[in-house]
């Protein structure tokens, strides 16, 4: 959907708005209102959720990695998933691919960060 950012700003804005709704329905409890990894459930997780406001998190990642991480979650990952240990649940059975992409667009929009590019 990144091409819509330039070609159709209204459509891009719709994806970001949907991502916002999904974030506050599903992700806020762990990642927090300001995406700082301090949601109401964060204290019970080990490791604590990612702080997306930290410039060393999503700004250092490609969007495809975030998609994989959200879809597959953390527990039970194969060795290839390390060293990024996470309590993140798998969302692929609860969200469509488009919804996962919309959440990713919202994460970057909210934090003012850009995804890592080649």
């Amino acid at each position: 959907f990144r091409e819509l950012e330039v070609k159709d700003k209204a459509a891009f804005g719709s994806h970001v708005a949907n991502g916002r709704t999904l974030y506050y329905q599903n992700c806020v409890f762990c990642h927090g209102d300001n995406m700082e990894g301090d949601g109401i459930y964060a204290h019970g997780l080990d490791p604590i959720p990612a702080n997306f406001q930290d410039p060393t998190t999503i700004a250092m990642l490609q969007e495809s990695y975030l998609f994989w991480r959200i879809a597959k979650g953390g527990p039970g990952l194969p060795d290839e998933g390390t060293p990024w240990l996470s309590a993140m649940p798998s969302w692929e059975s609860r969200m469509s691919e488009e919804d996962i992409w919309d959440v990713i667009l919202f994460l970057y929009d909210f934090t003012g960060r850009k995804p890592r590019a080649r």
Side-chain angles (χ1 to χ4, degrees):
F1 300 111
R2 277 285 166 201
E3 67 183 25
L4 295 175
E5 195 171 14
V6 175
K7 293 182 179 179
D8 189 344
K9 291 182 186 276
F12 184 78
S14 293
H15 285 286
V16 172
N18 183 51
R20 176 184 174 84
T21 298
L22 292 165
Y23 178 87
Y24 285 106
Q25 286 175 343
N26 300 294
C27 313
V28 69
F29 305 104
C30 297
H31 292 284
D33 288 327
N34 293 314
M35 299 187 185
E36 295 172 330
D38 62 352
I40 60 173
Y41 298 152
H43 69 282
L45 301 173
D46 183 25
I48 61 172
N51 174 355
F52 298 129
Q53 295 292 356
D54 184 330
T56 65
T57 59
I58 63 172
M60 299 301 294
L61 301 171
Q62 292 183 347
E63 289 172 306
S64 57
Y65 174 82
L66 282 178
F67 182 90
W68 171 78
R69 188 55 150 185
I70 293 168
K72 297 299 181 187
L77 284 177
D79 290 342
E80 293 83 9
T82 59
W84 298 283
L85 179 63
S86 170
M88 175 85 164
S90 169
W91 289 96
E92 65 187 343
S93 64
R94 299 175 205 148
M95 278 193 220
S96 69
E97 287 185 13
E98 184 172 315
D99 284 344
I100 293 173
W101 283 117
D102 289 355
V103 169
I104 292 167
L105 293 176
F106 174 65
L107 293 176
Y108 283 103
D109 183 73
F110 185 90
T111 61
R113 308 258 183 236
K114 294 287 182 193
R116 185 175 181 175
R118 293 178 189 224

